[in-house]
Amino acid sequence: MSGQRPKVAAIPSGIDVFIALDQAALDAIPTGLCVCTAEAALIRYNSRAIELWGRALPLGDPNQQHGSGFRRYQADGAPLPFAATPVASVLRSGQPILGAEVIIEQPDGSRVPVLMNVAPLQSKSGRVEGAVCSFQALTERKRIEEALRASEAELQSVINRTPFMLVRCSRDLHYRFVSQAYAQLVGVQREEILGKTIAEAIGDKGFNTLRPHIEKVLRGEATEFDCEIDFPEVGPRRLHIAYRPETDAAGKVDGWIASLLDITEQSRAVQAREQLASIVESSGDAIVSKTLDGIIVSWNSAAENLFGYAAEEIIGKSITILIPAELHDEEPKILERIRRGDSLDHYETIRQRKDGSRFPVSLSVSPVKDAHGAIVGASKIARDITARKRAEHERDRIEGELRELSEKLEQEVERRTLERDRIWNVSEDLLGVSNFEGYFLSMNPAWSRLLGWSEDEIKAMHVSELRHPDDTAHSEAGRKQLAQGVPTVRMENRLRHKDGSWRWLHWTMTEDNGLIYVAGRHVTAEKESAAALQHAQRQAAHLQKMEAIGQLTGGVAHDFNNLLMIVSGHAQSLKKRLSETRDVRAVQAIEMAATRGENLTRQLLAFSRTLPLNPTVISLADTVAAIRDVLAGTMHVNIEFSIDVPAPTWPVCVDKSELELALVNLAVNARDAMPDGGCIAITALIASLSAHDVPNGAAGDYVALSVADTGCGIPADLLPRVVEPFFTTKGPDKGTGLGLSQVYGLAHRSGGTVQIASEIGHGTKVTIYLPRSEAPIAAPSPEDSSGYMAADPRTILVVEDNTDVKNVAVSLLEQLGYKTIAVESASEALDVLASGQTVNLVFTDVALPGQLDGLALARKVTDRYGTIPIVLTTGYTRAFDSDPEFPVLRKPYQISALGRLIHQALYPHSTGATH
């Protein structure tokens, strides 16, 4: 078999082929070629790829593909992230992509459009191990076929230089003879191998690889095989081995002769040629090879798509089949240039398809050489340039139009330049240029208008002299981002006005050629608006919280008022019946306790805004002066007390009794804050408040009534809670925690607000803001008499669901000389009226069980029996936040107040009481 060509074992295609591929073979390819792993890490590329990239890229780094240092763009100029590139798509899908147009940006900023073909590299199991990508500049015509031929010649030369090895072994597995080439492969001198066993020379693993074939040849059978052996010195090598048995004189096999051929490089070259052929086949351009006689010898799928001929139809035919008859003289001229070794680049001509249609093409033709450098044919790349020709025609038309518009354009440019300069000068935004050292080099006039400094003054200052100290850290961080290559940085900081005030600015910054270009928008007003909104939101949350607490406390006060009504009413009845001094004092003590309880509920209801107010227009100076003695009586002797409420102070509309209670509460709180003495001052000033200063948003004129002390003060963390019911900073048994709650409720229900300022060790100042009233001051009401007795026997219908309260009301009315009919619900009351019984007045509680409450009952009685007056009583309701429809008597009430209101309802035109 010495005359036979050695067989080469097939090596599976995959990424390992390119890892082992000779760099010279890669560099011989005229198109850019690179190979990457499934993780997108580059493992090989050729010199043409470096030319197109404009740089050499590091191998093995998957981040290199993703990094911002390697920029790509779509054909329309839009940025192209790596995840959207053809390479990434092939790695994901395992499907090749042909003819993709991509723009590569080189380090100097120039952009190179390329046409890219990408094919997946798969393992034996079909898993995608990586991808091979070929790409060529669209502005040049590649000499692909020349490079392929040169690569094949180089690979063939490698195979031809591979040394042939010969070995002779005995039956006992010892070497009898080895050639020098084999010794070089094993890595030792020939003399050191002779006489050794195979295992001793190449190791047990290598021997075990050869064992089955040795056993076969020792049986007298010739064998030929391929295998891979890992030699101790040179590493793994793939060998083609032929074993021939040797026999002795008796015909018995006593050894064998082995011929070995190192086909490692040959196998790699075969795989490389197959891979290169795959690249050619996957190219989006038509690639055709022909002999020097013009006979077609190869034809890729792109050529089939372009010309319409299948490979089996056209291979072996003359290239002139693709050339129109009138252009046949082109081909001899082209082949003549190829024979001289010249190439033809970007040659534009006309070719025809199988269906006879003609189209413009761009040809790049290169000579193909054999292993000895002789020109044996030509490789042609053909591209359909129909679209480009149309574009060129359109471009020529547009260029003509542009030439006509040239003068207009120059004028427009001049006008726009003037506009730009005008914008620079009149822009309200701060436009400027600075260096990275922190000095401004140029700026528009807006800087001086906004900051008050002249341009020369600003240029002479370092930015740190203008910038607010609290903004240094993030401002420096923004400048570092620009230095690190971030294209645009946005931030906010404050710059100092010449008068010392600060201006908020929102900056947009970018870097170019070592300079920072800035545009600053003045946002001080927006910042102040945002702060105001945040303040309003906090205020609204606080009001919601106080509203919720108010609802709870109002409900408690309502139930407590019913209890107080029972105690107070019975005490009033008992007082008239008792004669013993001791018993009278006991009843008076009960009345005093009920009065104190009534004050507590008034404070609760005032805070919860459910206490029906009786606002009148009053003079603050007169009102405060009238209770001066009461206030002074609450003070200790070591407290200096003063009042400064000028007589001209604006009048206000407020419930006088509730205001007096509020002043007493504030005075008591101030006294308790100064156990060692101090000063308490009540003052009044006029003020104007903005909409966000008061809960109802009513901006206008207010009177600020303040109570200030020099006591211990309130900790800042407790100030938000001091108006909550039952919250107190006093010790046990020293306060109910309702005083400031009542003040808060009164101020807010009167259309004003409360502000509390306090400093530990320096005292507290509580200011009640009350709206100015334009109405005249109300005349003082005469003192009520002790009771209003019935002028004549009248019948009053009492409606009350609480039995004890109902009994008290009936008892008090009967003491006043009235007849009563008592029921517990609105429906019962309507039944009494419908029965025809005489009823002169309906006295009903507001909170009643059933579908109708007291107010609804009053409205029905008015609708049906318009002449019957109504008097309502309640300890808690929201129905009377505004002026009530009917007279209202607040629980708990005195018999005198009951008699007066009943008398006024029965005798609306009467001016006095009947005793």
Side-chain angles (χ1 to χ4, degrees):
M1 300 181 66
S2 60
Q4 297 183 5
R5 178 183 177 88
K7 295 181 179 179
V8 178
I11 299 175
S13 62
I15 202 166
D16 292 338
V17 174
F18 286 94
I19 295 176
L21 190 62
D22 187 63
Q23 185 64 38
L26 286 176
D27 291 341
I29 300 173
T31 62
L33 181 73
C34 64
V35 182
C36 67
T37 66
E39 294 77 22
L42 285 172
I43 58 171
R44 297 298 300 274
Y45 54 79
N46 65 358
S47 58
R48 182 56 177 153
I50 296 176
E51 293 175 9
L52 294 174
W53 291 337
R55 78 203 85 176
L57 299 178
L59 299 177
D61 182 6
N63 293 325
Q64 185 63 35
Q65 295 276 25
H66 299 275
S68 62
F70 189 39
R71 297 175 179 168
R72 314 168 185 80
Y73 302 89
Q74 301 177 26
D76 59 3
L80 182 66
F82 176 74
T85 61
V87 173
S89 298
V90 169
L91 290 175
R92 287 194 301 267
S93 66
Q95 300 297 319
I97 292 179
L98 306 178
E101 290 192 25
V102 175
I103 298 175
I104 299 173
E105 183 173 285
Q106 295 187 342
D108 62 1
S110 59
R111 296 184 179 182
V112 179
V114 299
L115 190 68
M116 184 176 290
N117 300 309
V118 187
L121 297 175
Q122 298 178 331
S123 64
K124 291 180 180 179
S125 62
R127 180 176 61 85
V128 175
E129 293 183 322
V132 57
C133 172
S134 68
F135 48 98
Q136 57 181 337
L138 294 177
T139 57
E140 66 176 8
R141 293 299 180 266
K142 291 73 183 173
R143 300 172 182 177
I144 294 178
E145 193 63 20
E146 176 186 1
L148 292 175
R149 294 299 185 188
S151 176
E152 290 180 351
E154 177 65 21
L155 293 175
Q156 188 61 45
S157 175
V158 171
I159 295 174
N160 292 338
R161 289 195 301 270
T162 302
F164 180 77
M165 296 166 283
L166 186 64
V167 174
R168 187 175 178 219
C169 297
S170 62
R171 188 176 186 87
D172 61 359
L173 308 180
H174 286 73
Y175 287 103
R176 293 179 177 176
F177 170 81
V178 295
S179 65
Q180 182 61 37
Y182 185 78
Q184 292 175 353
L185 182 67
V186 175
V188 297
Q189 297 294 324
R190 290 178 64 249
E191 294 75 12
E192 296 180 27
I193 300 178
L194 294 176
K196 286 187 177 181
T197 65
I198 298 174
E200 290 173 339
I202 66 174
D204 292 336
K205 184 177 179 181
F207 173 71
N208 290 333
T209 300
L210 299 175
R211 181 192 293 273
H213 308 287
I214 293 173
E215 292 174 351
K216 186 174 182 180
V217 76
L218 290 179
R219 292 197 299 269
E221 303 176 27
T223 183
E224 193 169 343
F225 59 92
D226 292 340
C227 68
E228 185 173 292
I229 296 177
D230 189 359
F231 291 95
E233 295 296 328
V234 299
R237 306 297 292 178
R238 189 162 187 83
L239 302 173
H240 180 76
I241 302 176
Y243 283 173
R244 298 294 182 268
E246 278 191 312
T247 58
D248 56 15
K252 183 179 179 181
V253 176
D254 64 350
W256 72 93
I257 296 175
S259 61
L260 300 89
L261 182 65
D262 187 349
I263 61 170
T264 304
E265 300 302 329
Q266 180 184 1
S267 299
R268 291 174 181 171
V270 169
Q271 188 170 5
R273 284 197 300 273
E274 292 174 352
Q275 200 66 43
L276 291 175
S278 174
I279 294 172
V280 171
E281 184 63 24
S282 64
S283 174
D285 290 330
I287 301 178
V288 179
S289 298
K290 58 188 176 183
T291 66
L292 292 177
D293 297 328
I295 302 302
I296 298 171
V297 295
S298 72
W299 185 265
N300 72 348
S301 57
E304 180 177 341
N305 295 333
L306 181 61
F307 292 101
Y309 291 96
E312 56 271 17
E313 291 182 275
I314 200 164
I315 290 179
K317 294 184 178 179
S318 173
I319 195 71
T320 56
I321 195 173
L322 306 176
I323 304 174
E326 66 273 16
L327 298 177
H328 276 187
D329 60 342
E330 285 185 353
E331 186 62 17
K333 297 175 183 178
I334 293 173
L335 291 176
E336 182 59 32
R337 292 186 60 175
I338 295 300
R339 290 188 185 95
R340 294 197 304 266
D342 296 335
S343 295
L344 192 67
D345 291 328
H346 312 302
Y347 178 70
E348 296 183 3
T349 184
I350 301 296
R351 290 294 181 261
Q352 64 184 14
R353 299 185 178 89
K354 181 178 179 181
D355 61 7
S357 60
R358 298 185 178 190
F359 61 97
V361 295
S362 175
L363 302 180
S364 292
V365 188
S366 303
V368 176
K369 301 178 181 179
D370 62 13
H372 304 291
I375 296 173
V376 296
S379 173
K380 177 177 72 175
I381 298 176
R383 176 173 296 171
D384 186 350
I385 58 173
T386 302
R388 199 194 78 194
K389 284 294 185 181
R390 290 174 182 165
E392 288 177 353
H393 176 74
E394 182 65 15
R395 182 192 63 197
D396 292 341
R397 184 186 65 79
I398 294 173
E399 285 178 351
E401 294 178 356
L402 290 176
R403 281 191 296 270
E404 295 176 2
L405 295 174
S406 177
E407 291 185 3
K408 293 182 179 180
L409 180 59
E410 291 179 2
Q411 296 173 358
E412 182 69 13
V413 168
E414 183 178 358
R415 185 179 66 82
R416 291 295 178 88
T417 302
L418 292 174
E419 288 179 354
R420 183 197 62 190
D421 294 341
R422 191 175 297 113
I423 290 172
W424 173 270
N425 291 324
V426 305
S427 173
E428 293 299 320
D429 288 344
L430 275 60
L431 308 176
V433 182
S434 74
N435 55 30
F436 277 92
E437 287 71 36
Y439 290 93
F440 291 99
L441 306 179
S442 65
M443 62 201 67
N444 68 339
W447 289 74
S448 297
R449 291 196 296 268
L450 180 64
L451 300 178
W453 306 93
S454 69
E455 181 175 346
D456 291 338
E457 287 174 324
I458 296 175
K459 287 181 178 178
M461 287 188 286
H462 190 267
V463 67
S464 60
E465 300 178 62
L466 283 171
R467 185 178 57 218
H468 196 287
D470 294 345
D471 299 335
T472 299
H474 71 266
S475 298
E476 294 293 336
R479 190 161 60 185
K480 287 180 181 178
Q481 285 182 295
L482 288 175
Q484 293 168 356
V486 176
T488 303
V489 174
R490 292 178 175 85
M491 67 176 185
E492 291 183 351
N493 63 15
R494 287 161 287 183
L495 295 187
R496 180 167 54 92
H497 190 276
K498 195 169 184 178
D499 63 8
S501 59
W502 297 97
R503 301 293 186 270
W504 274 101
L505 290 149
H506 178 86
W507 297 102
T508 300
M509 306 186 297
T510 187
E511 182 274 339
D512 186 42
N513 291 328
L515 296 176
I516 302 174
Y517 294 82
V518 301
R521 182 168 58 87
H522 185 210
V523 295
T524 302
E526 289 90 330
K527 285 286 185 180
E528 292 174 349
S529 297
L533 176 61
Q534 188 177 18
H535 171 77
Q537 290 173 338
R538 287 197 303 266
Q539 189 178 54
H542 177 71
L543 291 176
Q544 290 174 357
K545 173 184 175 183
M546 302 310 295
E547 183 71 16
I549 297 175
Q551 291 179 6
L552 173 63
T553 57
V556 173
H558 168 257
D559 292 339
F560 194 43
N561 269 335
N562 279 336
L563 297 177
L564 290 174
M565 183 68 244
I566 298 169
V567 173
S568 175
H570 285 302
Q572 292 177 69
S573 298
L574 285 173
K575 188 167 64 173
K576 291 187 176 183
R577 301 175 187 174
L578 299 176
S579 57
E580 291 288 336
T581 303
R582 184 179 60 182
D583 294 337
V584 171
R585 282 201 301 269
V587 172
Q588 289 175 340
I590 294 173
E591 285 188 306
M592 183 176 297
T595 301
R596 292 178 62 189
E598 180 183 357
N599 287 335
L600 288 176
T601 57
R602 285 177 64 194
Q603 291 173 331
L604 281 173
L605 291 171
F607 171 78
S608 65
R609 305 190 196 182
T610 57
L611 176 69
L613 297 179
N614 182 27
T616 58
V617 179
I618 64 171
S619 165
L620 281 178
D622 294 342
T623 300
V624 176
I627 63 169
R628 180 187 184 98
D629 293 340
V630 175
L631 296 174
T634 65
M635 309 295 174
H636 299 311
V637 294
N638 57 357
I639 292 177
E640 180 182 341
F641 177 57
S642 65
I643 295 177
D644 183 14
V645 182
T649 302
W650 292 333
V652 295
C653 186
V654 67
D655 188 313
K656 181 179 179 182
S657 63
E658 290 299 318
L659 178 62
E660 292 171 347
L661 179 61
L663 289 173
V664 171
N665 286 331
L666 292 176
V668 170
N669 283 348
R671 177 203 67 192
D672 293 344
M674 299 184 297
D676 298 325
C679 298
I680 297 177
I682 298 178
T683 60
L685 298 172
I686 60 175
S688 294
L689 299 185
S690 60
H692 72 273
D693 289 328
V694 287
N696 58 10
D701 295 333
Y702 288 78
V703 176
L705 182 63
S706 301
V707 178
D709 63 65
T710 58
C712 58
I714 304 172
D717 59 329
L718 297 181
L719 275 177
R721 298 190 58 197
V722 295
V723 298
E724 296 178 8
F726 309 115
F727 180 83
T728 179
T729 58
K730 302 177 185 179
D733 302 325
K734 291 187 178 180
T736 62
L738 293 172
L740 286 175
S741 300
Q742 184 266 341
V743 173
Y744 177 89
L746 170 65
H748 281 249
R749 294 189 67 200
S750 300
T753 187
V754 175
Q755 288 186 354
I756 304 175
S758 185
E759 186 176 352
I760 296 296
H762 291 81
T764 301
K765 182 177 182 180
V766 180
T767 303
I768 305 173
Y769 289 92
L770 297 172
R772 175 185 183 181
S773 175
E774 301 292 346
I777 297 174
S781 301
E783 288 295 322
D784 294 330
S785 62
S786 59
Y788 284 72
M789 300 301 293
D792 48 46
R794 297 291 181 101
T795 301
I796 297 177
L797 176 60
V798 179
V799 188
E800 172 63 63
D801 62 311
N802 187 305
T803 303
D804 292 330
V805 176
K806 179 182 66 177
N807 292 337
V808 168
V810 168
S811 173
L812 295 178
L813 288 169
E814 289 177 348
Q815 291 179 46
L816 291 170
Y818 295 104
K819 298 178 182 179
T820 60
I821 301 173
V823 296
E824 295 184 355
S825 67
S827 59
E828 293 179 35
L830 292 174
D831 290 342
V832 170
L833 292 171
S835 67
Q837 297 184 58
T838 300
V839 173
N840 301 109
L841 182 143
V842 176
F843 180 57
T844 177
D845 187 17
V846 173
L848 293 176
Q851 296 181 348
L852 295 178
D853 61 9
L855 183 59
L857 171 63
R859 289 168 179 164
K860 276 189 175 293
V861 171
T862 300
D863 290 342
R864 296 180 185 179
Y865 313 98
T867 59
I868 300 178
I870 308 292
V871 174
L872 302 179
T873 182
T874 183
Y876 167 74
T877 178
R878 290 183 174 273
F880 309 120
D881 282 349
S882 58
D883 293 338
E885 302 174 44
F886 306 97
V888 180
L889 183 62
R890 189 168 63 208
K891 295 178 183 178
Y893 46 80
Q894 298 296 313
I895 188 171
S896 59
L898 174 64
R900 182 179 68 254
L901 200 58
I902 295 294
H903 183 84
Q904 291 173 350
L906 288 172
Y907 310 104
H909 302 296
S910 175
T911 59
T914 301
H915 298 281

